[in-house]
Amino acid sequence: MQHGPLLRLADAEKKRLNLLYLAKWAEADGTPDAKDGTHATYHAEMRDTMRALGFNVEAASKFDRLYTNHNYDFCVTMLNRGGFTNSEMLGPLLCAYNNIPFFGASPILRGLGDDKHLMKLAVRARGVATPDSMIIRRGGMPFSEPDFEWKSLIVKPNASSASWGIGAYDNWAEAKAHAERLLSDGHDVIIENFVDGYEIAVPIIGSNGPWVLPPMRFYVDDPRAIRSYEQKRHLAAKDTVKLVPLPAGPLRDRVVEASLKLLPEVWPCDIGRVELKYDEKTDTLNFIEINLSCNLWSKKATALSAATIGVTHPQLLETLLCHSLRRQGVVAPESVLEYAIEPSEQDGQGEAHEW
């Protein structure tokens, strides 16, 4: 695959800038949490890596830091689960209100990406296939069985992350009961047709425009199993998950084409991970969802994808930050230095285990 340039910020600019890092576990020591598991480890690693790169980083774990202190040049806002519905948008909105440039994407794009139902409508309008689904909004009209054909249904909060609140059902009574529980807990609900196939993650990062990192195929013990929040956060036993770059060929071309086809809906952004499923039996490729604030831990899909082409985790994070700082005019273009990675004979052919 064609590689974009890696980016590095001049040392003088690193010393000049004051960055706020906003994340739930930004001030923690990296010990896994009883409820959030290794998300606490990830947040601490992000903070420590940015500091090791030479950035001046103030860490905060609550939104109220932005209520009282506006003396920041830039905010890395990763506080995506703030304890209330649609909290993913609050960090970007507070930054916008206080005129602080921030990492990621604009509040309206974050809202689009986080609303699974609306994003499905957007990608379908772009000509990208996605499973049939129905949305149930809190306080909305009574709902009945989907009018599309199905054998199994996925029921989940419409704005959840890391598979929180997800359930898979083969009969309508159980699916409806789960949806009603989620509604009573204050969540909009999406009910989606379960489609067969294996998962593919397509990380897209900002460099000189969008740079598609190697699409990664997930190999799991049971392809039909739904990994739970507890498994993804390492609070319970989980399947072994092996990620392998898709080999060059027609399928990878289709995966990249589909990802770029939907990208205008959410560009400009600094990071995104498109999730697809491919069914070998029917040769069907389906969009599942997109994450515009995806996990950037060194042991998750985006960093593991970058590693297969020789990009280290610190290089990945600095490239992301530089792209965001440059595109928003926080730093002068000439202060961002571009350099190429040297592809090896194993370029894009490695494999890794998601931890």
Side-chain angles (χ1 to χ4, degrees), residues 53-334:
L53 286 166
F55 288 96
N56 298 314
V57 178
E58 179 181 328
S61 58
K62 295 182 179 179
F63 292 115
D64 57 9
R65 185 70 59 88
L66 285 170
Y67 301 163
T68 57
N69 188 351
H70 309 150
N71 188 32
Y72 303 110
D73 299 299
F74 187 73
C75 180
V76 182
T77 171
M78 308 294 286
L79 185 48
N80 303 331
R81 299 188 65 198
F84 57 93
T85 304
N86 300 132
S87 62
E88 296 87 350
M89 297 175 66
L90 184 56
L93 284 167
L94 286 171
C95 288
Y97 178 76
N98 292 306
N99 199 31
I100 301 171
F102 56 92
F103 179 76
S106 69
I108 196 69
L109 293 183
R110 283 297 310 274
L112 173 62
D114 289 328
D115 191 303
K116 296 177 177 19
H117 170 69
L118 293 180
M119 195 65 212
K120 283 178 174 293
L121 296 181
V123 301
R124 186 172 281 129
R126 290 277 175 181
V128 179
T130 188
D132 290 326
S133 62
M134 60 183 285
I135 184 67
I136 309 166
R137 303 288 185 184
R138 291 166 294 154
M141 300 174 63
F143 65 97
S144 56
E145 186 172 347
D147 58 7
F148 53 81
E149 185 177 346
W150 61 274
K151 292 183 179 178
S152 296
L153 293 171
I154 301 296
V155 182
K156 56 189 175 183
N158 189 48
S160 70
S161 62
S163 295
W164 182 86
I166 194 169
Y169 302 98
D170 294 329
N171 70 80
W172 173 240
E174 292 181 358
K176 184 179 181 182
H178 185 68
E180 289 172 341
R181 285 193 296 271
L182 292 174
L183 288 169
S184 68
D185 287 338
H187 301 280
D188 291 346
V189 178
I190 187 169
I191 299 179
E192 179 180 307
N193 187 26
F194 177 85
V195 292
D196 286 317
Y198 56 78
E199 295 180 40
I200 300 170
V202 188
I204 301 175
I205 69 172
S207 176
N208 275 352
W211 174 8
V212 181
L213 296 178
M216 303 291 282
R217 173 181 173 175
F218 285 72
Y219 285 87
V220 296
D221 297 340
D222 181 1
R224 289 187 62 84
I226 304 298
R227 286 194 295 154
S228 67
Y229 171 84
E230 289 74 18
Q231 289 173 319
K232 290 185 176 182
R233 292 288 185 260
H234 311 101
L235 296 167
K238 65 189 284 291
D239 289 347
T240 298
V241 180
K242 183 172 66 173
L243 289 88
V244 177
L246 281 180
L251 177 58
R252 189 172 76 178
D253 292 342
R254 285 173 61 189
V255 165
V256 172
E257 179 185 12
S259 301
L260 291 176
K261 188 180 291 186
L262 64 87
L263 194 61
E265 295 291 340
V266 294
W267 189 263
C269 60
D270 301 314
I271 181 69
R273 188 187 67 236
V274 179
E275 298 181 11
L276 307 163
K277 286 185 81 173
Y278 176 68
D279 186 349
E280 294 176 289
K281 295 180 180 178
T282 61
D283 191 32
T284 302
L285 183 68
N286 274 292
F287 168 87
I288 301 300
E289 62 184 47
I290 190 170
N291 191 331
L292 297 179
S293 185
C294 59
N295 195 312
L296 292 174
W297 190 22
S298 61
K299 298 182 179 181
K300 289 295 184 179
T302 298
L304 295 177
S305 170
T308 67
I309 55 172
V311 177
T312 68
H313 186 240
Q315 287 174 326
L316 171 68
L317 292 185
E318 186 162 10
T319 297
L320 291 168
L321 291 172
C322 285
H323 173 263
S324 191
L325 291 164
R326 185 172 63 182
R327 77 174 174 86
Q328 296 179 80
V330 180
V331 298
E334 59 268 21

